[in-house]
Amino acid sequence: MKPKAKSFLIVTASVGSGHEKAAAAVAEGIKKQHPDAVINIIDFMSVKTSWVNAFMKSCYLNMLYFVPNLYEFMYQFTAGKKKGGFVKWAMSSVIVYSMKTLIKKYRPDTIICTHPFPADAVSHLLEHKRADFDSCAIITDYSVHQMWVCPKLNHYFVAIDSMREQLVEFGISKDIIHVSGIPVSEPFCHSYDKVLCRQELGLDTDMPVVLMMGGGLGLGGMDAAMDQLEKIKMKLQLLVIAGRNEDLKKKVDVFAAKSHHNIITWGYTDRVPVMMAASDILITKPGALTLTEAMSLGLPMVLHEPIPGPETDNARFMSEGGMAVWLHSGDSLSKIIGDLLAHPEKLEQMSQNSLKYRRTDAAKEIAQRMG
């Protein structure tokens, strides 16, 4: 008799694209190693999962857009064990019911979480012995926040060594913490020829290419950045990915008609690996998945307008590692981009620093340990 296929439940959250990208990369890795596996990827913050969770997502996004300083306050307020622990307990009491419903529906052998909310719900169920399955959290940033501390999980996968130390300080056993890197999909895990990628995109192979991204939600002050880039006299090819932000895409299209640069605009696209490989510099907000994808391809980065909290930590890690220039208040984007393009040796050093840190086997390692 053929053995029963193993069932995986990967629980993510549609707040930006990073958590979902990590979930998809892990599913890809599991499928390669276990072709018969049953894999379900669920958006924990979708109204289909729970209207309460969806309401929490709406509050989060509105806070980021309208009062980012309040978000920063909440992030710092919940960073400590006592305050953060209380908030986690209060949230667990609400969201644990939607996790119980998912478990009853899918009957998973293994649950993999790429967002702290479902990870905490899983930990809560395991603590009260209401479930029996293997479990893990994949932390999709370059630092650890208290909200990620879920003591009853079986495994943690983190990006860098310092995060293991942070988790140990929070009381997590070192034995269950694996420094795997952040998982990215297979197209970001191999090398490309820059000239061929430019030809594929219909670009001039000799003119500098600057890629601009704001994450899956199209955040990050991209329209203001374009005003700055207009000050650069050298003609550039600007590839602008607006994500799901239709208003931003329309603004960029209007701007492109009067710019002296060659501007090409995309909404949500699956051609990001080719665009990154074709580019000389990436300008982006420091979402961890975008940074990890760029790092995997050795693409130098200029980072601006981080979401207060985790993205600030991401920007710090990338800039201290020599992979990115972090644009602070008062810095001139046009001068920084102009200087980098005028000194290709700086770009080459940033690229080499990225290739030194990259971990393109993260999805494979997670699949092996959880399979």
Side-chain angles (χ1 to χ4, degrees), residues 210-222:
V210 177
L211 175 61
M212 303 178 70
M213 298 176 66
L217 298 174
L219 300 170
M222 205 183 296

Side-chain angles (χ1 to χ4, degrees), residues 13-260:
S14 54
V15 284
S17 61
H19 305 290
E20 295 172 293
K21 284 183 178 180
V26 171
E28 186 180 82
I30 292 171
K31 206 64 180 175
K32 281 186 177 180
Q33 297 191 33
H34 307 282
D36 296 330
V38 177
I39 305 172
N40 290 287
I41 302 178
I42 300 298
D43 178 5
F44 198 62
M45 308 308 285
S46 165
V47 69
K48 292 181 180 179
T49 301
S50 164
W51 71 267
V52 174
N53 296 7
F55 176 73
M56 290 167 59
K57 168 188 167 181
S58 177
C59 291
Y60 165 79
L61 294 177
N62 283 320
M63 184 164 40
L64 281 182
Y65 190 81
F66 293 108
V67 279
N69 289 339
L70 177 58
Y71 173 79
E72 182 176 18
F73 169 78
M74 292 297 294
Y75 182 86
Q76 299 299 337
F77 179 80
T78 56
K81 289 185 178 181
K82 184 175 291 187
K83 295 172 182 176
F86 173 76
V87 173
K88 284 169 84 269
W89 172 83
M91 292 184 63
S92 292
S93 303
V94 176
I95 64 179
V96 71
Y97 295 103
S98 48
M99 181 57 69
K100 287 172 67 176
T101 301
L102 292 176
I103 292 170
K104 185 177 180 180
K105 179 178 180 179
Y106 294 103
R107 305 283 183 184
D109 299 301
T110 300
I111 299 181
I112 297 172
C113 301
T114 66
H115 188 273
F117 289 0
D120 192 52
V122 168
S123 181
H124 182 87
L125 289 174
L126 290 171
E127 181 178 9
H128 293 85
K129 302 187 186 304
R130 297 176 187 169
D132 182 22
F133 43 74
D134 200 7
S135 62
C136 77
I138 303 169
I139 301 183
T140 50
D141 280 304
Y142 285 90
S143 64
V144 178
H145 187 272
Q146 164 69 22
M147 297 300 285
W148 275 107
V149 180
C150 308
K152 298 302 178 180
L153 296 180
N154 302 116
H155 300 275
Y156 272 92
F157 295 94
V158 299
I160 50 178
D161 290 329
S162 61
M163 294 173 67
R164 173 188 275 164
E165 297 165 8
Q166 287 178 282
L167 281 171
V168 170
E169 290 178 3
F170 275 117
I172 304 298
S173 170
K174 188 175 183 178
D175 295 337
I176 67 169
I177 307 168
H178 315 288
V179 184
S180 61
I182 295 175
V184 295
S185 64
E186 192 274 336
F188 294 97
C189 297
H190 56 82
S191 300
Y192 292 81
D193 182 282
K194 180 176 285 189
V195 172
L196 291 179
C197 289
R198 289 186 177 184
Q199 290 174 343
E200 181 181 335
L201 295 170
L203 301 174
D204 186 316
T205 56
D206 297 320
M207 190 186 303
V209 179
V210 177
L211 175 61
M212 303 178 70
M213 298 176 66
L217 298 174
L219 300 170
M222 205 183 296
D223 46 353
M226 292 187 67
D227 284 331
Q228 279 284 311
L229 292 178
E230 200 63 24
K231 298 176 182 179
I232 298 177
K233 294 181 180 179
M234 177 196 315
K235 188 171 183 178
L236 307 176
Q237 299 176 99
L238 300 180
L239 311 182
V240 182
I241 302 177
R244 300 186 183 99
N245 191 330
E246 289 296 326
D247 289 339
L248 177 59
K249 187 177 185 304
K250 290 176 183 177
K251 286 182 182 179
V252 175
D253 287 337
V254 170
F255 190 93
K258 61 183 180 181
S259 173
H260 76 278

